[in-house]
Amino acid sequence: MVVKKDLVILGGGTGGYVAAIRAAQQGRDVIIIERDKLGGTCLHKGCIPSKAMLKSARMMDAARELQAFGIDHEGNFSIDYKKVLKRKESIVEQLYQGVQALMKKHKIEIIEGSGVVQGPSIFTPDSGGVAVTFNDENKEEEIFVPKHLIIATGSRPISLPSIQIDEAHILSSDGMLELEELPKSVAIIGGGVIGCEWASILASLGVEVTIIEAMKTLVPNESRTISKSLKKAFKKQGITLKLKTKVEQAVVEEEGVALTIKESEETLTVEKVMVAVGRKPNVDGIGLNNTSIKFSDKGIEVNEHYQTAEGHIYAIGDVLDTLQLAHVAMKEGELAVEHMNTGHSEPLNYIHVPRCTYTRPEIASVGYTKDNVPEDMTVKTGVFYLKGNGKALIEGEADGGLVEVLTDTETDDLVGVSIIGPHATDLIAEASTALYMQAATMEIGEAIHPHPTISEAIAEAAMDTEGNAIHK
């Protein structure tokens, strides 16, 4: 059967369902085709479940530190991992129900099945029809022919050629979330955002953690100052770091997984291994070869309005070679719909996108860092250490924390902010807004920040670009 529709969205993850809501708000008749669950990786296998577990880990940290706050207690605290998982699952389920309710509210039809993009056919002279195989085997295949199509098929974890992920002993981030018991020891291959977040979770829950990273720094896309501070914090937390190190092979044995370290004859045996070396876009098996859409292993090629080579077909989210972040996918979805409806949209400046790492301490940044400033730009740097911030000391999390601010010497405009410390992922919103509004650094410094708050450190670092910080 052939069904004609206004807009079809292939993929109901964060980018897909946000695009659907925006399109429905603007009068479009929308269908989402999703083979699994609405919400995608972020809701079910990434952002939300991992942060729910992170909160449990932070509560365990807080329990261990009660005496430092003058609270005496008897006995030891213990982890009930089944309750940790139950809490995580309840949060995911509540948000999942919320997304489903939003679909009903906006009259967005959800098709549960797998879609393959079609080329020109007897049904339409253009590419962009989608053949759907339903999850319900009793339903016959249907072809949806839309005026516009948005491809939002997301991404999946990358493996390594010499290391086979089996999701039992050698796991991806997906498999880590499915573990029913905490392992005694874990080696994490990859010291980027995902690897460091999981290291932070597991270490706080009492797991012996080793990070193995090929590069010389953790979170290599962040400022070196931030990376050094995180390295120091991780060592203090008992996390073993093996930087500038590669794993040659991983062999599952009776006593665990034996890792052969390439740079030495050392063999490291752990109970579980997590591979966290990145994610790759889901471009295979969705019919792109049936069209003139250009794509590669890095993703689908689009213009600044997210149009593919076929102008009525758009692509957004992790399936592109852009920042693989949920809030990026959301914004790309909104902009794609805006262009689809009006023929215009303001191109997204990816330098303005805030980046967050939910470790302990938290890391957040927006704009440039000292290490990636364009060659034709000269910057001044302001730094404020949280050991001079009253609220950070009250929180007991001042150690190693800092705010780093960059300003363009020619224009005095803010061009970058990096934060490591408590609530960094919330605080970065001020810097993100200021960057978007093209604020001068001193405008941030002169704006009144409430006391005592950690946000004062942003103002102090901003004023430090001119040597005018008050408490430094």
Side-chain angles (χ1 to χ4, degrees), residues 281-296:
N282 292 324
V283 295
D284 47 320
I286 60 171
L288 297 182
N289 288 321
N290 298 328
T291 73
S292 60
I293 294 173
K294 298 178 181 178
F295 67 99
S296 67

Side-chain angles (χ1 to χ4, degrees), residues 33-55:
I33 300 167
E34 172 56 52
R35 66 183 179 185
D36 197 357
K37 289 184 175 181
L38 282 172
T41 295
C42 180
L43 178 53
H44 299 284
K45 298 180 180 180
C47 321
I48 300 302
S50 64
K51 305 312 172 286
M53 294 179 66
L54 189 68
K55 180 60 178 179

Side-chain angles (χ1 to χ4, degrees), residues 188-193 195-196 211-214 217-220 276:
I188 299 175
I189 303 174
V193 171
C196 285
I211 296 178
I212 303 170
E213 167 57 45
T217 60
L218 297 172
V219 286

Side-chain angles (χ1 to χ4, degrees), residues 8-79:
V8 168
I9 300 176
L10 186 56
T14 310
Y17 83 71
V18 167
I21 291 171
R22 177 62 78 234
Q25 288 173 337
Q26 297 179 1
R28 293 247 176 188
D29 182 20
V30 186
I31 283 181
I32 292 178
I33 300 167
E34 172 56 52
R35 66 183 179 185
D36 197 357
K37 289 184 175 181
L38 282 172
T41 295
C42 180
L43 178 53
H44 299 284
K45 298 180 180 180
C47 321
I48 300 302
S50 64
K51 305 312 172 286
M53 294 179 66
L54 189 68
K55 180 60 178 179
S56 294
R58 292 297 164 268
M59 295 302 290
M60 191 63 191
D61 288 334
R64 293 190 185 103
E65 296 164 4
L66 281 175
Q67 289 186 339
F69 290 84
I71 301 172
D72 292 327
H73 61 88
E74 296 181 2
N76 295 321
F77 295 94
S78 61
I79 303 288

Side-chain angles (χ1 to χ4, degrees), residues 294-356:
K294 298 178 181 178
F295 67 99
S296 67
D297 290 341
K298 291 184 177 181
I300 296 173
E301 293 183 21
V302 293
N303 64 16
E304 60 186 2
H305 305 296
Y306 307 105
Q307 288 176 293
T308 68
E310 307 246 11
H312 63 294
I313 301 178
Y314 293 72
I316 61 168
D318 283 9
V319 79
L320 306 181
D321 187 17
T322 56
L323 292 169
Q324 292 182 330
L325 300 169
H327 47 283
V328 169
M330 293 180 193
K331 194 62 181 179
E332 289 172 345
E334 291 182 46
L335 292 173
V337 169
E338 181 181 345
H339 187 266
M340 187 185 304
N341 287 340
T342 68
H344 304 283
S345 65
E346 188 69 28
L348 178 59
N349 185 342
Y350 288 92
I351 291 296
H352 291 172
V353 173
R355 308 171 294 272
C356 298

Side-chain angles (χ1 to χ4, degrees), residues 449-471:
H449 289 67
H451 174 77
T453 63
I454 299 170
S455 69
E456 291 175 278
I458 299 175
E460 293 276 13
M463 290 188 290
D464 190 52
T465 60
E466 298 291 341
N468 292 327
I470 298 295
H471 293 95

